[in-house]
Amino acid sequence: MSNARILVFGNEKGGAGKSTVAMHAAVHLLHQGRRVAFIDLDLRQRSLARFFSNRVQWAAANQKTVPHAVEPFLADKPARLLEAPEVDAKRAFDRALNEALEADFILIDTPGGDHVLSRRAHAAAHLIITPMNDSFIDFDLLGEVDPVTLDIRRPSIYAETVWNSRKQRAVWDGKSIDWIVLRNRLAATEARNRRRVDEKVHALSRRVGFSVLPGLRDRVIYRELFPFGLTVTDLSPEVKPVALTMSHVAARQELLALMQSLGLENTTTEAVA
Ligand SMILES: Nc1ncnc2c1ncn2[C@@H]1O[C@H](COP(=O)(O)OP(=O)(O)O)[C@@H](O)[C@H]1O
Ligand SMILES: [Mg+2]
């Protein structure tokens, strides 16, 4: 029996922050001494895989010790899975997931748009984490809003994907899937828009069954360390491709609060030395 917890980062909208939140969650867990495996199902962009490959290269070139995640074998050329027959793609994914089961956490990043492997990953999740930008364009994939009254008419395309995953999962093993939506790239200046989107997200959360978390502000530090394969959580007197500033300290706090509310804060075992 595996105790691996499977986290799927999903939202059919591209640019919502799936890969960004996945990287930050992975690094947070690694610093907690957790074994982390990842599967990058964004077979074209491979941002999460690129992040971890940058991390290995940066650490080796600079002779630094940082904790690393493992990537189970998916395919020699992952992008080819996009054209592969469905059974072959599913087999490759199942094999990778099986290989990852020794980890404490398996993080699966998914592409914008619908794909058979993305659906399979969603159905295998313990927890689906959906970042969304603070925008009605992003909300539209979760729920359809009446243009006159701004009332929610019905759950829309991505909410349906999650609904179908939950149904499939209930048939597979009778288990349920938790779903968390978090707002990403929040701007300090958009209080009115935020309040409106907030209201809709909360109303929809009750209807389709997800929890809402406060999420992350838009901050340069969440994107500028990508070429090094690092996040602000890695920064220390040893590891400092950029100097730590007060705004970085605020970002670390914000991330920590998010990880705590995602239930990813380790309270039982010791952190990595
Ligand atoms: N909180 C944030 N602050 C600043 N930039 C962000 C934040 N979240 C995401 N980004 C940037 O937004 C873009 C889209 O994010 P990404 O994680 O690639 O989205 P997705 O994986 O959902 O397509 C990237 O350029 C990323 O660096
Ligand atoms: Mg991505």
Side-chain angles (χ1 to χ4, degrees), residues 9 22 39 66 84 115 128 137 154 172 179 187 201 203 223 247 257:
F9 297 83
I39 302 176
V66 290
H115 184 260
I128 296 170
I137 296 185
R154 61 181 75 89
W172 276 355
W179 185 18
V201 172
R223 51 176 178 262
S247 94

Side-chain angles (χ1 to χ4, degrees), residues 14-15 17-20 40 42 45-48 109-112:
K18 297 178 286 295
S19 303
T20 301
D40 191 345
D42 193 338
Q45 296 183 8
R46 306 266 300 155
S47 308
L48 188 62
D109 195 14
T110 64

Side-chain angles (χ1 to χ4, degrees), residues 31-72:
H31 280 281
Q32 301 254 307
R34 302 306 199 131
R35 290 170 301 175
V36 175
F38 70 91
I39 302 176
D40 191 345
L41 291 182
D42 193 338
L43 301 166
R44 214 179 289 283
Q45 296 183 8
R46 306 266 300 155
S47 308
L48 188 62
R50 182 94 65 221
F51 172 83
F52 279 111
S53 143
N54 292 349
R55 187 172 178 89
V56 169
Q57 291 174 58
W58 183 86
N62 292 280
Q63 298 175 330
K64 301 291 184 198
T65 308
V66 290
H68 292 286
V70 297
E71 182 181 21

Side-chain angles (χ1 to χ4, degrees), residues 150-180:
L150 289 188
D151 288 339
I152 295 168
R153 281 175 168 164
R154 61 181 75 89
S156 54
I157 177 160
Y158 185 66
E160 247 170 56
T161 300
V162 176
W163 171 244
N164 287 328
S165 311
R166 283 174 158 165
K167 274 201 301 201
Q168 192 175 346
R169 183 56 174 277
V171 174
W172 276 355
D173 63 6
K175 299 254 167 69
S176 57
I177 302 174
D178 291 329
W179 185 18
I180 286 176

